Amino acid sequence: MKDKTVISSKQLFAMIILFEFGTSLVLPTGLQAEQGAWLSLLIALPAGIVLYLIFDYLYRQYPTMILSQYIRKIVGAYVGWPLSLLYISFFIYCGSRNLREAGDLLITTSYDMTPIFYIHLTMIIGVIYVLRKGLEVLFRLGEIYLIITLCLGLFSHIMILISGLVDYKNLLPINAGGWKAILHAAFPFTFSFPFAEVITFTTVLPHMKNAKLAKKAGIAAMAFSGIMLSYTHAIEIAVLGPDIYGRAVFPLLTMIGIVNIAEFIQRLDAMVILTLIIGVFFKMTVYAYAAISVASDIFRIDEKRKMAYPIGIIILFISMMSAWSFPEHGEEGNLSELFIQPLFNTYLPILIFIIVVIRKWIDRYRMNGV
């Protein structure tokens, strides 16, 4: 790997949290579990951490290689090259979905007279600009914006508690739909979105300053983000009730919109919008960077930053063409979480992991045999 970019464990920790937050803070999740949606996040979290440990194991076996490089080394170029090409398409598709969700929220709340194309264009220009500056700039920004995001969240939470809107009875019974429904919501839905999406960091880990800290930073970040996401959705259900939570397009926005303290503190929607913009920006940028890294590798492009323009433009136009409306976008997302994301985020990496482990066992057996 010729790129001399170096990132620290703190920067990795911050970026994984921002990535996991993404649109997960704003969009409803685990609807199959009804008021137990927050619990499905906690159940899926350990599986997400195990998947990250698989990525960390592969990273330690091939510390200078990104995902596409060790795929070709493990399964061969004839299988690995087209598989890597599919991963480029997958990363671009996921990035475009995040862009579409941000655009729809902004149109719903504040920019209803603005064509969605111009909102998407504005955001993708920012993504391209940061990618042109390099990975280190992106991760330094992540450290700053994580603090901003946490401060916004803390202030919003305090306002909600002061307003007296929280009714914990709305969380009962926890297993209203049955434990089977909660498990079904956890796997594959909340597991695929957002936990399994950390596969994008397989293109980032080779840039770690201290490889030994990648495991601790990743586990800590996933645990923190998973607990915070679960708590946030639990508060949303407690305030709105499971019925409104399930029907709301953006339940966090709906919840914060009804905060009214002494007819003075109200209309805090801007805080949710800012949180979403921050989360989507970083998540979409990481997806774009993953696509750029894999594309630069398989097409042998030395200067990765040149790929920011074509990848960014493709993400922009796919975000416009993927669905005609947000409900259609949501239905497409459910299908993606059932079939597309598990294949690329989970099944293929686990298969590669199994191949590596079996080969190591065979090599060890042969050495002992000799």
Side-chain angles (χ1 to χ4, degrees):
M1 189 182 66
K2 297 180 181 179
D3 196 339
K4 300 299 182 181
T5 302
V6 174
I7 59 175
S8 68
S9 58
K10 291 181 181 179
Q11 291 171 337
L12 179 67
F13 174 80
M15 187 57 68
I16 291 178
I17 291 175
L18 287 172
F19 182 86
E20 291 292 303
F21 281 175
T23 54
S24 307
L25 278 172
V26 181
L27 294 174
T29 186
L31 296 179
Q32 299 83 357
E34 298 180 18
Q35 53 260 59
W38 63 275
L39 188 58
S40 69
L41 281 160
L42 290 181
I43 293 173
L45 174 59
I49 292 175
V50 170
L51 186 62
Y52 178 82
L53 290 175
I54 290 175
F55 297 140
D56 178 73
Y57 175 83
L58 292 171
Y59 160 58
R60 284 184 283 110
Q61 298 304 309
Y62 308 97
T64 61
M65 297 183 182
I66 65 171
L67 176 68
S68 56
Q69 291 173 324
Y70 60 67
I71 283 179
R72 295 202 307 277
K73 185 175 180 64
I74 293 166
V75 300
Y78 290 107
V79 177
W81 198 94
L83 197 57
S84 299
L85 188 62
L86 289 175
Y87 266 107
I88 296 173
S89 303
F90 173 69
F91 291 143
I92 289 174
Y93 168 73
C94 291
S96 68
R97 284 193 59 82
N98 280 271
L99 181 57
R100 179 59 183 263
E101 286 158 1
D104 280 314
L105 174 63
L106 290 172
I107 285 178
T108 302
T109 55
S110 306
Y111 301 97
D112 55 306
M113 300 300 291
T114 305
I116 192 171
F117 175 79
Y118 294 110
I119 294 174
H120 288 191
L121 179 62
T122 303
M123 295 192 71
I124 207 68
I125 287 173
V127 170
I128 292 172
Y129 177 79
V130 171
L131 288 173
R132 289 284 297 171
K133 290 296 181 182
L135 190 65
E136 285 185 87
V137 172
L138 173 64
F139 275 70
R140 286 171 186 164
L141 280 173
E143 288 184 288
I144 298 170
Y145 278 95
L146 176 61
I147 296 172
I148 295 173
T149 301
L150 294 178
C151 289
L152 289 172
L154 179 61
F155 178 77
S156 300
H157 178 63
I158 291 172
M159 293 301 102
I160 290 167
L161 292 179
I162 293 174
S163 65
L165 294 171
V166 180
D167 184 1
Y168 292 106
K169 292 180 181 178
N170 287 329
L171 296 172
L172 301 175
I174 293 175
N175 60 338
W179 287 106
K180 185 177 180 180
I182 293 176
L183 290 173
H184 178 59
F187 303 102
F189 293 105
T190 53
F191 173 69
S192 295
F193 172 75
F195 299 120
E197 294 179 294
V198 288
I199 190 173
T200 53
F201 287 89
T202 56
T203 60
V204 171
L205 292 177
H207 297 285
M208 284 293 294
K209 184 177 181 180
N210 189 337
K212 295 180 181 179
L213 295 177
K215 180 192 289 187
K216 292 181 180 179
I219 292 173
M222 290 198 67
F224 178 81
S225 58
I227 291 170
M228 291 304 298
L229 283 171
S230 176
Y231 178 75
T232 300
H233 286 281
I235 292 296
E236 289 172 12
I237 296 170
V239 172
L240 301 175
D243 183 50
I244 297 177
Y245 174 83
R247 289 188 286 111
V249 179
F250 303 108
L252 181 62
L253 182 67
T254 304
M255 176 183 69
I256 207 72
I258 61 177
V259 171
N260 187 349
I261 302 175
E263 299 293 333
F264 177 68
I265 299 177
Q266 52 187 319
R267 299 296 299 170
L268 302 176
D269 308 28
M271 301 184 68
V272 174
I273 295 171
L274 180 58
T275 301
L276 176 75
I277 291 173
I278 292 171
V280 167
F281 172 79
F282 284 100
K283 189 167 187 174
M284 181 170 47
T285 306
V286 172
Y287 266 121
Y289 175 80
I292 288 169
S293 295
V294 177
S296 300
D297 171 46
I298 67 173
F299 294 117
R300 299 180 181 180
I301 298 171
D302 293 330
E303 185 55 54
K304 287 194 295 187
R305 298 182 187 188
K306 293 180 180 179
M307 294 295 293
Y309 291 113
I311 295 295
I313 292 170
I314 293 170
I315 289 175
L316 171 63
F317 282 100
I318 290 180
S319 71
M320 297 296 301
M321 298 184 295
S322 60
W324 290 107
S325 63
F326 194 72
E328 183 183 340
H329 173 83
E331 292 175 7
E332 181 186 300
N334 289 334
L335 292 175
S336 173
E337 290 171 9
L338 277 173
F339 302 108
I340 299 175
Q341 291 198 41
L343 175 63
F344 288 98
N345 287 344
T346 310
Y347 301 148
L348 288 174
I350 289 176
L351 178 61
I352 293 167
F353 167 74
I354 291 172
I355 292 172
V356 172
V357 171
I358 290 175
R359 282 183 178 176
K360 286 182 70 69
W361 284 348
I362 292 173
D363 291 342
R364 195 174 300 168
Y365 177 78
R366 286 175 178 173
M367 290 179 63
N368 292 336
V370 173

